[in-house]
Amino acid sequence: ISGFCVFSLTIMGIVARKQIAGFFRLMLGIYRLTPNNPLCKDQQRKILLGAITAQQQSAVLDSLPTKVPKRTRLEILEFWWEITDASSAKKGLEKLKERGQRYYFPYVVEALAQPNQEALNAYMNKVAQNEDVGDRIAEYLQNTFDAIDQLKELKIISKTEDFINTGVDAWDSSRLSFTARLCLESGYISEEEAWQYLDAADNIAHKSLTSWSEFNKSFILGRAMWIGIDTNASTLFEMGQKLVTQAKSPWTKIAFAQ
């Protein structure tokens, strides 16, 4: 086994253990929250956009510090985002801010709207000529086709139009919010810069979404477009639903609306 494979397996093991711990915390209604939180509700909302991911990692949900162990934090940044310093942090965060999954979403929607296989093939051949998006669109479209039936079976959507109408903005918003916190905690960005990215995450979330419930669904749809069939989809959706409904959840105490 190569050194990279061992490294990758080690990180995936750490992340998996954190996700399991986060799920059990959620099942028991346990959230890591900040006592007497000094942040205003507006600030807390921007941070709570990353709550599903934060809960997976057993992180604090509602303050700038995640309190994720340093080793895990640095490994997540490097393994998920290739972020190892201030320069790569800015590059990764800017990519999420300006593009993310939502940049490719209109192409996937257009592909889904094609009336038949012949039309779809013609559209994909046209898209393939665009070097900026061609390869990614093919990957994300295949992921979406693969995941649609699973999403219906899990009752996350009832028809393909639900995927189109809900969109994937929450997936980008959540990742930008949580990743900015990790970068701040690692010393790669300043607090001022962190809030700028949190503001951007907030704007992304509210471009088309109007509630935490919609946000949760959009998060899962974005993940489906990113990964395809997902053995964790049901667990993550339930995790989000409990954030929406549990009395102790910070989502029930902080309104989604700006």
Side-chain angles (χ1 to χ4, degrees):
I1 300 175
S2 71
F4 177 76
C5 290
V6 172
F7 175 69
S8 299
L9 290 170
T10 299
I11 293 175
M12 287 189 288
I14 292 171
V15 171
R17 289 196 297 273
K18 288 291 181 182
Q19 289 178 344
I20 292 169
F23 180 70
F24 278 110
R25 280 177 175 271
L26 193 54
M27 292 298 98
L28 295 172
I30 299 172
Y31 299 94
R32 291 187 70 186
L33 301 174
T34 306
N36 303 313
N37 197 324
L39 298 178
C40 69
K41 289 186 176 181
D42 186 60
Q43 291 172 315
Q44 290 182 56
R45 182 191 67 249
K46 296 170 185 178
I47 292 171
L48 287 168
L49 294 168
I52 298 176
T53 306
Q55 187 72 9
Q56 284 180 273
Q57 303 303 324
S58 299
V60 173
L61 270 60
D62 62 348
S63 65
L64 284 175
T66 67
K67 297 189 178 178
V68 171
K70 181 179 179 180
R71 179 188 174 192
T72 303
R73 170 169 34 89
L74 295 177
E75 288 175 340
I76 287 172
L77 287 173
E78 182 172 3
F79 184 67
W80 288 358
W81 300 107
E82 298 181 348
I83 291 175
T84 56
D85 54 22
S87 176
S88 54
K90 183 174 182 180
K91 180 180 179 181
L93 291 168
E94 285 295 319
K95 183 177 179 180
L96 268 175
K97 175 185 172 184
E98 300 299 334
R99 282 201 174 196
Q101 208 79 359
R102 67 197 183 283
Y103 178 81
Y104 304 95
F105 184 69
Y107 295 94
V108 172
V109 169
E110 185 68 20
L112 290 171
Q114 298 304 308
N116 53 53
Q117 188 64 47
E118 183 179 356
L120 176 60
N121 290 341
Y123 176 73
M124 292 306 296
N125 287 334
K126 179 181 176 181
V127 171
Q129 297 174 23
N130 184 341
E131 295 181 358
D132 185 43
V133 299
D135 290 342
R136 283 297 180 92
I137 297 305
E139 175 189 348
Y140 291 150
L141 179 61
Q142 187 62 58
N143 289 345
T144 302
F145 276 135
D146 290 344
I148 287 292
D149 287 342
Q150 182 191 34
L151 294 170
K152 291 177 181 177
E153 289 172 6
L154 295 173
K155 301 188 185 306
I156 295 171
I157 61 173
S158 59
K159 52 188 182 298
T160 302
E161 287 75 10
D162 293 341
F163 181 92
I164 295 170
N165 293 334
T166 303
V168 299
D169 288 355
W171 177 243
D172 289 339
S173 172
S174 180
R175 294 187 300 163
L176 180 56
S177 174
F178 187 66
T179 306
R181 294 171 64 200
L182 293 177
C183 287
L184 171 63
E185 210 166 8
S186 301
Y188 297 155
I189 61 174
S190 67
E191 183 172 332
E192 179 181 0
E193 289 172 319
W195 281 117
Q196 289 172 358
Y197 287 118
L198 285 162
D199 288 344
D202 198 41
N203 290 332
I204 292 168
H206 290 88
K207 184 177 180 180
S208 61
L209 304 171
T210 60
S211 68
W212 287 120
S213 181
E214 284 186 5
F215 185 87
N216 179 40
K217 181 182 291 188
S218 176
F219 177 91
I220 298 299
L221 299 186
R223 181 178 169 88
M225 180 178 151
W226 172 68
I227 202 172
I229 294 176
D230 183 7
T231 56
N232 292 319
S234 177
T235 298
L236 288 173
F237 186 66
E238 184 175 357
M239 186 178 285
Q241 286 297 91
K242 289 185 178 297
L243 278 163
V244 171
T245 59
Q246 282 188 334
K248 294 180 181 179
S249 164
W251 277 9
T252 63
K253 297 175 174 60
I254 302 293
F256 179 80
Q258 287 180 311

